[in-house]
Amino acid sequence: QVQLVESGGGLVQAGGSLRLSCAASGRAFRPYGMGWFRAAPGKEREFVTVISWSTTATYYADSAKGRFTISRDNAKNTVYLQMNSLKPEDTAVYYCAHRKPYYSDYKTPIGYDYWGQGTQVTVSS
């Protein structure tokens, strides 16, 4: 059983930064990969970024590349999302998610089997 808890969301001015955290349960947390998704008000969840646990290879959506960075801390069973140069269109609930092992589709929610509760990020103009 995998349990994920996000934190770090809040209200920030455009151009500001936030660092989101996702803490996982378990003595030894060894996921196939971990990703971040977001859901703007009234919209479906969309892919933001993902990291492979074995290789630390990363992939970013075009909207995130150059501004967001995903990273991990194995000792803390935690994955992070550093968000810089935030824009109003980044306003959304952000979710961390655990990848289905050996499932190739990492860009859609169907590729993930465990989710956090979400943390709200609001960017004002």
Side-chain angles (χ1 to χ4, degrees):
Q1 188 73 244
V2 177
Q3 292 183 314
L4 307 173
V5 180
E6 302 100 330
S7 62
L11 176 64
V12 64
Q13 289 285 118
S17 299
L18 284 174
R19 187 196 191 204
L20 307 184
S21 299
C22 175
S25 64
R27 291 179 57 199
F29 184 62
R30 299 186 183 94
Y32 185 63
M34 292 291 295
W36 287 94
F37 285 73
R38 67 186 184 185
K43 297 183 179 180
E44 297 180 350
R45 296 185 186 187
E46 66 174 355
F47 171 77
V48 178
T49 182
V50 66
I51 184 169
S52 167
W53 221 255
S54 61
T55 68
T56 71
T58 59
Y59 184 87
Y60 295 89
D62 289 342
S63 61
K65 186 167 293 185
R67 299 188 299 125
F68 294 2
T69 303
I70 188 171
S71 61
R72 75 187 199 201
D73 187 332
N74 290 351
K76 297 180 179 179
N77 286 356
T78 300
V79 62
Y80 302 96
L81 180 64
Q82 178 67 46
M83 304 186 294
N84 299 324
S85 302
L86 284 163
K87 306 173 182 179
E89 52 262 45
D90 294 319
T91 295
V93 177
Y94 283 72
Y95 301 87
C96 67
H98 175 276
R99 285 194 64 190
K100 294 178 180 177
Y102 309 106
Y103 197 92
S104 62
D105 191 358
Y106 60 84
K107 296 182 179 179
T108 60
I110 197 172
Y112 300 78
D113 53 6
Y114 296 99
W115 297 80
Q117 84 288 350
T119 185
Q120 177 70 50
V121 172
T122 303
V123 185
S124 61
S125 300

